[in-house]
Amino acid sequence: MTVSMGAPQVVWVAIAATNVVLSCLMDGKETKQVWWTSVVGVALEACLLWWGGFFS
């Protein structure tokens, strides 16, 4: 299986990575968000997009 990534895929990966990094930085702050919920959400979304053919 070969993964081919165009502009939409690269943009999605950048947004997802930014989401996870910001969640890690904000963990424990005044917000109620914890980092692992973002990681799980991004992982589930990535699996769904992969299954749907977004990365192929």
Side-chain angles (χ1 to χ4, degrees):
M1 172 184 272
T2 303
V3 176
S4 59
M5 294 180 55
Q9 291 82 1
V10 172
V11 169
W12 181 85
V13 168
I15 291 171
T18 302
N19 181 26
V20 171
V21 168
L22 289 177
S23 293
C24 289
L25 293 174
M26 296 300 291
D27 188 40
K29 303 282 193 237
E30 294 182 17
T31 64
K32 298 288 184 182
Q33 183 175 359
V34 290
W35 69 271
W36 62 267
T37 57
S38 290
V39 172
V40 170
V42 167
L44 290 172
E45 186 178 358
C47 289
L48 182 61
L49 290 171
W50 194 308
W51 183 38
F54 186 70
F55 293 109
S56 46

